[in-house]
Amino acid sequence: MPFTLHKPLLEQLQTLSGVALETTIDAQDGTRFKEAMLFTHRGLSGPAVLQISSYWLPGEFLTIDLSPATPLDAFLTVQREAHPNLSLKNSLAKILPKRLVEVLQTLKVVPDITLKQLNSRQQAELVATLHAWRIQPNGTEGYRTAEVTLGGVDTTQLSSKTMEARAVPGLYFIGEVADVTGWLGGYNFQWAWSSAWACAQAL
Ligand SMILES: Cc1cc2nc3c(=O)[nH]c(=O)nc-3n(C[C@H](O)[C@H](O)[C@H](O)COP(=O)(O)OP(=O)(O)OC[C@H]3O[C@@H](n4cnc5c(N)ncnc54)[C@H](O)[C@@H]3O)c2cc1C
């Protein structure tokens, strides 16, 4: 499910609605997805967010690497040598969406300076923040937008061959109603169809 954000952060990020970028998102239990993230007018969405939402519990933080493909410390060091008078903002805009960099500058995450003015402490802070941006979602957009649901009928109580309830002969459960949650990308359809096939053979 897409995440909603708390008011101050949401208002600061709202102008980014529609901006997408490649990210790595980690949940607190260590689960990680490396896919696109999309800023929306309500918060965050996109494949990485929809996937990680199955592993997030209210109150928990997410850690987002905004530049998983480019190590920023090495990038900035090379850029500073090559273009010392370039603004830090325009330098980062070579690898991150420009609108995102502008908002990060407004939030004072990205200092309004040139590369030659960027000292090593500022660089280290910036790199740490952009590679591990910690946010605490307010919640999710809920059942209305969910693509898959957690929980359901406990599969340990079903025959894996026929999907028949062990305790109630003649009662079968298949698909979404069972306690099976697949990643996005077709696994839930696969489960729905496969469990239906197994059940139908038995019937
Ligand atoms: C927006 C969205 C996008 C998704 N994208 C993907 C994807 O890309 N890949 C993927 O693998 N999965 C995806 N899913 C998940 C996937 O659709 C489900 O896991 C799958 O459809 C479950 O199949 P099912 O037959 O168990 O249940 P459902 O498809 O939900 O079928 C249940 C049926 O029962 C009917 N019904 C309910 N109550 C009653 C009643 N009382 N009497 C009679 N009929 C009733 C419903 O109308 C419905 O037709 C997506 C889900 C959503 C919502």
Side-chain angles (χ1 to χ4, degrees):
M1 288 177 276
F3 285 120
T4 55
L5 297 173
H6 291 285
K7 201 88 184 264
L9 184 61
L10 177 64
E11 281 169 359
Q12 286 156 341
L13 299 181
Q14 236 160 9
T15 58
L16 293 176
S17 183
V19 171
L21 75 162
E22 275 303 309
T23 55
T24 302
I25 305 190
D26 290 41
Q28 273 184 215
D29 72 355
T31 307
R32 165 176 291 187
F33 288 99
K34 186 170 184 292
E35 297 200 54
M37 179 178 83
L38 171 72
F39 291 92
T40 71
H41 63 291
R42 290 172 199 261
L44 301 173
S45 188
V49 167
L50 298 179
Q51 298 274 38
I52 207 78
S53 69
S54 296
Y55 299 85
W56 176 84
L57 294 172
E60 289 186 349
F61 280 81
L62 297 170
T63 305
I64 305 175
D65 186 342
L66 296 169
S67 177
T70 307
L72 286 172
D73 198 44
F75 171 80
L76 287 171
T77 302
V78 169
Q79 286 285 304
R80 190 166 44 195
E81 282 293 308
H83 315 283
N85 294 316
L86 186 67
S87 69
L88 175 59
K89 182 178 84 174
N90 285 343
S91 173
L92 287 173
K94 291 179 182 179
I95 50 169
L96 295 174
K98 189 161 182 251
R99 276 163 65 195
L100 173 61
V101 180
E102 284 167 356
V103 167
L104 291 172
Q105 188 163 80
T106 315
L107 295 176
K108 308 259 187 281
V109 172
V110 173
D112 184 11
I113 53 178
T114 62
L115 285 172
K116 71 178 178 212
Q117 292 171 314
L118 180 70
N119 65 38
S120 48
R121 183 185 52 80
Q122 286 171 311
Q123 180 165 326
E125 272 177 21
L126 179 62
V127 167
T129 306
L130 297 183
H131 277 309
W133 185 39
R134 275 171 59 79
I135 62 150
Q136 187 185 32
N138 183 20
T140 69
E141 289 196 28
Y143 191 72
R144 185 182 59 82
T145 59
E147 296 204 357
V148 65
T149 55
L150 297 174
V153 175
D154 185 348
T155 48
T156 63
Q157 302 304 311
L158 302 177
S159 158
S160 60
K161 286 208 173 67
T162 65
M163 307 308 296
E164 187 176 23
R166 293 187 202 286
V168 186
L171 179 63
Y172 297 78
F173 294 96
I174 58 169
E176 188 68 57
V177 78
D179 186 10
V180 173
T181 308
W183 287 1
L184 301 185
Y187 301 99
N188 295 292
F189 286 140
Q190 177 65 53
W191 164 248
W193 295 327
S194 299
S195 57
W197 186 88
C199 178
Q201 298 307 304
L203 291 174

